[in-house]
Structures are given as C-alpha cells and as structure tokens.
Amino acid sequence: MSSLPATTNPFPVRVLGGPTALFEYGGLRFLTDPTFDAPGDYARPDGRFLTKTAPSSGAPADLGSIDVVLLSHDEHPDNLDISGRALLADVPLTLTTPGGGQRLKARAKGLADWESIELNRPDGGTITVTGVPAIHGPGPREKVEPVTGQVVGFVLTGEDLPTVYVSGDNASLDVVKEIAERFAPVDTALLFAGAPRFPELFDNQLIVLNSDQAAEAAQLLGARRVVPVHYDSWAHFTEGRDELVAAFTAAGLADRLDWGRRD
C-alpha cells in the first residue's frame, strides 16, 4: 500500500465476517470477537433478536491454534456467539471487559481502562496489550453502559513491533482522541464500523461508528492502515463496504483501507 512506510511491515489480517478477524503479531495468534454461527435469528439477553445474514468465511476448526482472544464484550451474540463461546475453552487467554472476565471466568481476564498485561513472545521479549475505553452508544458512559453494557478496546505494542488498535464496539470519537493522545500514530487499526442502529435504543442513534466517523477516527489515530470489521453479515448494520470506501475516499484516505484476507 502506497501510504504505508516500509518500516511498518504490515502483517496479514484474515477477516472472517462481522467483528471476527485473525492475525499473527509478535509470534502470537490473536482472534477478535469470535462469531461463527450460521445465519439466523439470535436472542439477546433483553429479549430482542439480532439477525445474522451471511455465514462466516471460516470455521473454528479451520483456524489452527489461537493464543489470545480479544473480546470487546461477551453480552451480545454478534460479538460472541454459541460457537465463539465454545472456542474460548480451547484458547489459553481471553482478554475482555472487567464484567466479562467475571462472567467467563476460567481463562478470561478483564482489563479496565488503560490496564495492561504483558504476554511472552515465542522468540523472546513481550507484547503489551492495553485495555482502552470504548462506549457502545451515544453519550457518556454512565448513560450508555446500563443499556448496552461494558465494552473494551485494545492497543498492542512491543519492541520492534507496529502499534495495533482494535476498537471494539465503540461509538465515541472523544474516546478515539484519548487513545490517540497516548498511542498515535497507529500502524494498523481494526475499526469496528457498520453504523448499527435500533429504533428502540437511544432514539435510533448510532451505537458503533458510521463510515464517516471511521474515517475521522483513522485521521485522529494517524493510522497508516485501517482494516474495517463489523460492517457486514448482520441485519442491524446500516452501512457497509461501499459507504466505507466513499467516506475514506472523501477524506483522502482510500489508500489506507485494507480489506484483509477472506480465505
């Protein structure tokens, strides 16, 4: 990609549909928000349903070993479904929200805002994973979390490694500014987008970034590469690939987009 300096050494990202992506970083294999169930209607704890419209492009059995799951939150089936929960039992470590860590127990650890954990790299050295804020809806966290729950994002850093941001289900550009103040420029940003809305939630306002906001987030982060996720395969996403391309093109950032591998 022309906008990526050679020194950033961009690593491949396999995008599996919805919020799920697989990448190797520092010798460890990371998976975001595991969702592998078949298309259909899935119940939320509040009694509403989410409709999955397309199958994942891979199955857990095809992925090989996973070292770490980066789980933005465990309470919604479009971020952790039945198959995804089963997969967690075979993964040594799942990083998630403080509440999710309590619910999932066993091999899960919750990260509070700006809390870090160091992971040993197979070839020596460490990877630092920092939990960063995310707000799953419009407005301040104290008004949003009682409705949509806790969400966490992640920043990955390490000596001689690129800086990676995984946004999780975040709708707040103010949060992105806070993260940018600490970590920009970011080499690779996995941005959750899709502009999901529900008439019964927050007067149909956005609960995750729309395409224009994703482009603005990329600018704030100084992101050299953006891998969009969480924009397809579910009926409540109101914007998809075309809108993302248009927004990044209008912002002069089209060459930053990387759609990942789908095989």
Side-chain angles (χ1 to χ4, degrees), residues 31-44:
L31 184 71
T32 65
D33 288 17
T35 54
F36 299 99
D37 290 350
D41 293 333
Y42 292 91
R44 287 169 40 124

Side-chain angles (χ1 to χ4, degrees), residues 173-222:
L173 287 172
D174 287 340
V175 157
V176 175
K177 290 175 186 175
E178 289 184 56
I179 295 163
E181 287 171 0
R182 295 183 184 229
F183 292 102
V186 167
D187 292 281
T188 295
L190 276 70
L191 291 184
F192 289 39
R197 304 172 187 268
F198 294 93
E200 64 274 19
L201 291 182
F202 308 112
D203 294 324
N204 209 39
Q205 296 183 76
L206 292 166
I207 60 171
V208 181
L209 300 178
N210 67 16
S211 302
D212 289 338
Q213 291 171 327
E216 186 173 347
Q219 289 180 314
L220 290 168
L221 294 162

Side-chain angles (χ1 to χ4, degrees), residues 25-113:
Y25 177 85
L28 297 180
R29 302 182 80 237
F30 291 83
L31 184 71
T32 65
D33 288 17
T35 54
F36 299 99
D37 290 350
D41 293 333
Y42 292 91
R44 287 169 40 124
D46 58 14
R48 291 190 293 270
F49 286 85
L50 300 180
T51 300
K52 189 171 185 178
T53 58
S56 302
S57 63
D62 303 329
L63 302 182
S65 63
I66 306 297
D67 296 299
V68 184
V69 166
L70 302 175
L71 177 59
S72 71
H73 57 302
D74 67 304
E75 296 176 279
H76 297 159
D78 60 326
N79 296 90
L80 181 67
D81 61 12
I82 297 167
S83 301
R85 286 180 185 274
L87 176 145
L88 297 186
D90 297 322
V91 176
L93 178 65
T94 295
L95 298 175
T96 189
T97 63
Q102 294 175 354
R103 284 184 292 272
L104 296 170
K105 300 177 182 177
R107 301 174 180 182
K109 175 177 174 54
L111 293 179
D113 290 354

